[in-house]
Amino acid sequence: MIEADAVTTLTIMLVGYLLGSIPFAVLICHFMGIGDPRQLGSGNPGATNVLRTGNRPAALLTLTGDFSKGMLAVSIAQWADLSVFNQALVGISALIGHVWSVFLYFRGGKGVATMLGSCLFLDYRLALSQGAVWLLILAFRRISSLAAVSMSLLSPVFSWILAPQLLLPVIIMSSLILATHHHNIRNLLSGRERQL
């Protein structure tokens, strides 16, 4: 028989997945009359691609929405008094929802903002370290994918130092981020990746 705690965790993981699946980029671009971001630029429904349309408010709203999905999912897990590890599983579920959204026929964005939002509520020190790396790389190189890949590679190190209980979930989240950037990584290695 499945224990009540396991049922609660699985239920909240499903809620986290559905929250993560909300395609803020598509919704915001639709309501602001920009068009479908999946048909523009890189075709990625995320804040960076929305920024390429030249509409900064839309990009900021998309970033905020995607970031909030991770925060809200983990906050629900905390409200339900799940263990820290299970809270992280809910954060992973939100990230999976963003990458493979049920509302976009199991396609989606690359998950950086959603991961950061989840980590902020799991351990703010971890999220601050991740955000600092992302911002520094973006500021100096102006390549969003390089910032995301650098953050993902360093996240397990930050977790090992600051929040060792989250190391395995952070490795899983970082691996997902790296997987969503496989095409960008090839472009980075060949020197063909675009700047913002």
Side-chain angles (χ1 to χ4, degrees):
M1 185 174 179
I2 301 176
E3 295 183 3
D5 286 350
V7 172
T8 300
T9 299
L10 289 170
T11 300
I12 298 175
M13 286 176 67
L14 176 59
V15 172
Y17 171 79
L18 292 173
L19 283 171
S21 290
I22 299 171
F24 279 106
V26 175
L27 294 173
I28 289 166
C29 286
H30 173 74
F31 285 115
M32 296 184 74
I34 299 170
D36 192 332
R38 294 170 295 176
Q39 307 299 323
L40 304 168
S42 67
N44 178 56
T48 299
N49 195 40
V50 174
L51 182 60
R52 290 193 181 102
T53 68
N55 193 315
R56 291 186 179 182
L60 181 59
L61 286 171
T62 299
L63 180 66
T64 302
D66 289 345
F67 189 84
S68 298
K69 293 190 293 191
M71 288 196 306
L72 182 57
V74 174
S75 70
I76 292 171
Q78 291 173 343
W79 174 79
D81 201 28
L82 299 186
S83 68
V84 173
F85 185 82
N86 286 347
Q87 291 172 28
L89 292 181
V90 174
I92 291 171
S93 299
L95 177 58
I96 290 172
H98 181 81
V99 175
W100 292 290
S101 170
V102 68
F103 304 121
L104 298 179
Y105 304 101
F106 300 102
R107 301 185 67 180
K110 297 187 176 179
V112 176
T114 303
M115 177 182 178
L116 282 171
S118 296
C119 288
L120 181 64
F121 270 36
L122 290 169
D123 191 303
Y124 74 92
R125 299 168 301 169
L126 174 60
L128 289 176
S129 301
Q130 294 169 313
V133 169
W134 188 83
L135 287 171
L136 282 171
I137 299 296
L138 189 65
F140 284 102
R141 295 300 303 275
R142 297 192 61 79
I143 302 176
S144 178
S145 60
L146 179 61
V149 168
S150 301
M151 182 206 77
S152 298
L153 291 172
L154 288 172
S155 288
V157 178
F158 294 144
S159 180
W160 178 62
I161 295 170
L162 300 170
Q165 73 277 16
L166 295 173
L167 181 57
L168 179 57
V170 168
I171 289 173
I172 293 171
M173 285 192 267
S174 295
S175 299
L176 279 169
I177 298 296
L178 291 172
T180 63
H181 284 82
H182 65 92
H183 180 71
N184 305 90
I185 292 171
R186 287 200 297 268
N187 285 343
L188 286 167
L189 293 174
S190 63
R192 292 184 287 111
E193 188 71 343
R194 294 181 297 172
Q195 290 183 315
L196 286 177

